[in-house]
Amino acid sequence: MPPSMSSPNPIKQPSGQQRDIIIAQYPFHGTSSLSMGGPSTSFAKGKRVAVTDRREEYVSREGLDLFFSRSVTIESLPDDVLLDVFDFYQTGVNTRHSWHVLIHVCRRWRYVVFASPRRLNLRLFCNSLTPVRKMLDVWPRLPISMIDLTLKPDVAGVNIIAALERHDCVCEVNLWGLTSPLLDRLLKVMQVPFPALTYLDLKFSDQWPARASVLPETFLGGSAPRLQSLMLWGIPFPELPKLLPSCHDLVDVQLRKIPNTGYISPDAMATCLSPLSRLQFLDIGFDSPNSCIDQNRPPPPPRSTRVTLPSLTRLEFRGTSEYLDELVARIDTPAIKFVKTEFFDQHIFSIPQFVQFIGRTEMSGSLKEARLFFTDRNVQINLGHLDPLEASIFQDVLSIWILCHTFDRQVSGSTQICNQISPFFSNVRRLDIPCDNWLPWALGWQSHSDRTLFLRLFRPFIAVQILHVGFGLHELMASVLQELSGERVMEVLPALRSLSLVGFKSDNRVIPKALKSFVTARQQCNHPVIVHPRIV
């Protein structure tokens, strides 16, 4: 508290949490009143304002009066207190242009605001329709955010170019729907360093017939020291490994829909990620199976050491199993919490290095439940656990998708994957197989060989005690379990105790008959299975 506002009888300052609550309180007896528009923030005759670090806590009038007894006018508040109030207002209103209200009150307030652009996070926001040159002539040199998530195909980009020409002020570029002509114009002005740039998100239009131009080695002047988020969608950047080592502050890297012209080898990718000690989220996704294969590349040499990414908590990948296997063989992620992969349809999936990669993490011990979800576009193998606070919410930890449309290919691919990641099923006690609406119509194959193929899918689940089956799969599951009789009854799901047929209709007479032999056989070998509802 400023000396001029101290109480004649100083009160001992509170300590710990109490000291964090009350910072300042002043009664105002001025003749003017001003409303700033923010929640719980007002200046008016006879009103009081409290500036707090913990804004969710409230302090009584009596408590504040114990600290302050001298009244002041709002004009007497020192600059640092005004700045605290402005910061509180900015947080409460939370709009891009909220600080405009402050600078139009008086000259002093304008001076206080412009003197602390970082504290108040002052920015000039613009899009492709903003008259940028006129705007820059009016305002002082402040950080510029160019954001337009709905670019039209015919946008010339004059205003975007005008903003990017202030390369020393641009802190954010977020443009979705880029076309080839517009991207080419942007690249001409983005060959120099952008020292203030912290966020870059460029998304190429899915509707544009031509491919995006390749980003050159000189993009961003070859260096982006303050960059924190980098997202490129459908835009090739094969020289990225030369840029990333300069981006020590990166926490988020997303390279999605990488075309053939943007291929980066797994070894080069792992090497360029090594300096990124703050990286938390990595997403690498290829546009097609061909875009993540280099036909001219010789077999990768063995690597004796791995790159450690100490802060990485989330890894997502879309491509072939071969590329992912080579990549994760070169990295360690001790803090990883979630891994998601989307594999293109392949006849053979081979992921031995991926299995070892997951085994080196702590997340492998949290895999308590599994879900197999068949849809008309993919099959999803999800491993995780139930939320400890909300038992009905399933939290994915490891999610593996196979992008294929036919049910037989989904079963074949998921069987290969499940057999390879079987070490992680040792603690899985519950297996859910929900059913998409399309699936009942896709089950025209139920011959003996088809049922045998489906049966192989369940062999790795040796610890599952509870099995939930969606409505569309009731008959198929019943016919599959019917195959297990005599000595074979314990070959699949040996620990099963409860089978739940979700949404079962009582008028169905086929399922109880098919399940009866399985239930009887399990009971005879002292491993009974209870079916819900009790239909057998």
Side-chain angles (χ1 to χ4, degrees):
M1 183 172 58
S4 61
M5 298 182 189
S6 61
S7 172
N9 298 314
I11 299 176
K12 183 179 180 180
Q13 291 292 327
S15 60
Q17 294 182 348
Q18 292 179 340
R19 186 171 59 240
D20 294 335
I21 296 175
I22 304 174
I23 296 179
Q25 178 271 341
Y26 305 96
F28 297 102
H29 299 287
T31 57
S32 61
S33 76
L34 169 67
S35 177
M36 299 175 67
S40 303
T41 309
S42 62
F43 296 86
K45 184 176 180 179
K47 299 293 183 181
R48 300 172 184 266
V49 60
V51 182
T52 67
D53 273 342
R54 300 185 175 187
R55 292 175 172 80
E56 72 276 7
E57 300 192 35
Y58 296 91
V59 184
S60 66
R61 179 189 297 264
E62 292 76 10
L64 287 171
D65 285 340
L66 291 176
F67 284 90
F68 303 100
S69 60
R70 184 175 179 179
S71 299
V72 296
T73 63
I74 191 170
E75 291 81 7
S76 301
L77 293 179
D79 289 353
D80 58 341
V81 175
L82 272 180
L83 191 58
D84 284 338
V85 176
F86 294 166
D87 187 25
F88 180 53
Y89 163 72
Q90 286 270 86
T91 304
V93 176
N94 194 26
T95 61
R96 295 178 176 178
H97 306 292
S98 56
W99 56 273
H100 290 197
V101 177
L102 303 176
I103 63 173
H104 285 90
V105 173
C106 63
R107 182 177 301 175
R108 182 188 172 214
W109 283 29
R110 186 181 306 116
Y111 169 79
V112 172
V113 169
F114 285 144
S116 304
R118 290 191 178 182
R119 169 72 183 275
L120 299 178
N121 194 26
L122 303 186
R123 292 191 184 187
L124 299 177
F125 290 91
C126 51
N127 57 35
S128 60
L129 302 179
T130 305
V132 172
R133 298 192 187 280
K134 292 183 179 179
M135 179 186 72
L136 297 179
D137 289 340
V138 174
W139 297 107
R141 296 183 71 88
L142 294 173
I144 299 173
S145 290
M146 169 54 69
I147 304 175
D148 199 323
L149 307 183
T150 57
L151 286 172
K152 304 300 181 183
D154 57 347
V155 169
V158 175
N159 295 313
I160 299 176
I161 299 298
L164 295 180
E165 287 176 346
R166 287 278 187 97
H167 57 92
D168 58 330
C169 295
V170 175
C171 66
E172 178 180 6
V173 179
N174 193 352
L175 300 173
W176 288 16
L178 290 168
T179 62
S180 292
L182 180 56
L183 179 60
D184 291 341
R185 286 192 288 271
L186 297 185
L187 293 181
K188 291 180 180 180
V189 296
M190 298 187 75
Q191 305 301 308
V192 295
F194 281 67
L197 186 64
T198 60
Y199 188 98
L200 177 63
D201 186 354
L202 302 178
K203 185 174 182 179
F204 196 73
S205 174
D206 294 333
Q207 309 302 322
W208 193 254
R211 289 284 189 177
S213 300
V214 176
L215 300 188
E217 181 181 352
T218 53
F219 182 65
L220 299 181
S223 175
R226 295 189 61 188
L227 193 62
Q228 298 178 17
S229 295
L230 172 63
M231 284 162 274
L232 299 176
W233 297 50
I235 300 177
F237 193 10
E239 301 299 330
L240 178 66
K242 297 181 180 180
L243 174 69
L244 286 188
S246 70
C247 308
H248 297 284
D249 290 339
L250 269 175
V251 297
D252 183 3
V253 174
Q254 300 180 41
L255 309 173
R256 299 185 178 182
K257 304 191 71 173
I258 302 173
N260 298 12
T261 52
Y263 177 83
I264 302 173
S265 71
D267 187 64
M269 184 68 74
T271 302
C272 72
L273 293 174
S274 59
L276 308 183
S277 59
R278 299 182 181 181
L279 186 64
Q280 299 176 14
F281 179 29
L282 175 62
D283 185 352
I284 301 174
F286 292 91
D287 187 49
S288 68
N290 293 331
S291 62
C292 51
I293 298 176
D294 186 357
Q295 304 292 349
N296 300 320
R297 182 173 59 90
R303 193 182 183 99
S304 57
T305 59
R306 292 188 293 265
V307 171
T308 300
L309 302 177
S311 302
L312 192 70
T313 58
R314 187 180 183 96
L315 171 64
E316 297 190 15
F317 173 81
R318 176 188 176 106
T320 62
S321 60
E322 292 82 5
Y323 188 100
L324 177 65
D325 219 46
E326 290 186 24
L327 176 64
V328 297
R330 292 162 166 76
I331 62 175
D332 274 332
T333 56
I336 198 74
K337 302 296 183 183
F338 176 79
V339 175
K340 177 183 178 182
T341 70
E342 296 183 11
F343 292 136
F344 295 119
D345 189 14
Q346 304 172 220
H347 288 289
I348 298 177
F349 294 92
S350 179
I351 52 172
Q353 295 296 332
F354 179 70
V355 174
Q356 294 183 32
F357 166 75
I358 298 297
R360 295 193 298 268
T361 68
E362 295 183 358
M363 59 181 276
S364 59
S366 63
L367 307 178
K368 306 295 185 181
E369 304 204 7
R371 291 190 177 187
L372 298 176
F373 190 27
F374 298 91
T375 76
D376 59 341
R377 295 186 178 183
N378 55 59
V379 56
Q380 305 170 18
I381 306 168
N382 300 318
L383 282 78
H385 53 82
L386 293 181
D387 190 310
L389 300 179
E390 184 58 55
S392 62
I393 299 178
F394 177 79
Q395 291 186 336
D396 291 354
V397 176
L398 174 61
S399 184
I400 302 176
W401 295 21
I402 301 176
L403 308 177
C404 54
H405 300 275
T406 60
F407 188 65
D408 58 340
R409 293 291 309 134
Q410 293 179 0
V411 174
S412 174
S414 55
T415 300
Q416 293 183 54
I417 295 296
C418 286
N419 277 281
Q420 294 183 69
I421 64 174
S422 59
F424 308 131
F425 294 150
S426 59
N427 294 322
V428 173
R429 300 292 186 263
R430 171 171 168 166
L431 173 61
D432 287 5
I433 312 178
C435 182
D436 204 357
N437 292 331
W438 75 276
L439 200 53
W441 306 101
L443 299 181
W445 59 285
Q446 291 192 21
S447 64
H448 174 75
S449 60
D450 295 330
R451 293 195 296 268
T452 301
L453 178 64
F454 199 68
L455 199 60
R456 293 174 185 165
L457 177 60
F458 297 101
R459 289 188 182 278
F461 296 93
I462 58 175
V464 167
Q465 300 177 4
I466 302 172
L467 175 60
H468 285 230
V469 182
F471 171 72
L473 284 171
H474 289 174
E475 292 191 20
L476 176 60
M477 181 58 65
S479 64
V480 166
L481 295 178
Q482 192 177 22
E483 296 285 319
L484 301 174
S485 59
E487 297 180 354
R488 297 186 59 203
V489 72
M490 297 299 294
E491 287 184 4
V492 178
L493 302 173
L496 186 65
R497 296 180 180 179
S498 174
L499 171 60
S500 178
L501 304 178
V502 181
F504 176 79
K505 294 185 178 180
S506 58
D507 58 349
N508 192 313
R509 298 289 183 263
V510 177
I511 295 176
K513 183 178 179 180
L515 284 176
K516 186 174 182 179
S517 60
F518 170 74
V519 173
T520 301
R522 290 294 292 259
Q523 191 169 6
Q524 290 175 349
C525 64
N526 295 323
H527 288 83
V529 175
I530 300 176
V531 180
H532 304 278
R534 299 297 292 271
I535 58 177
V536 294

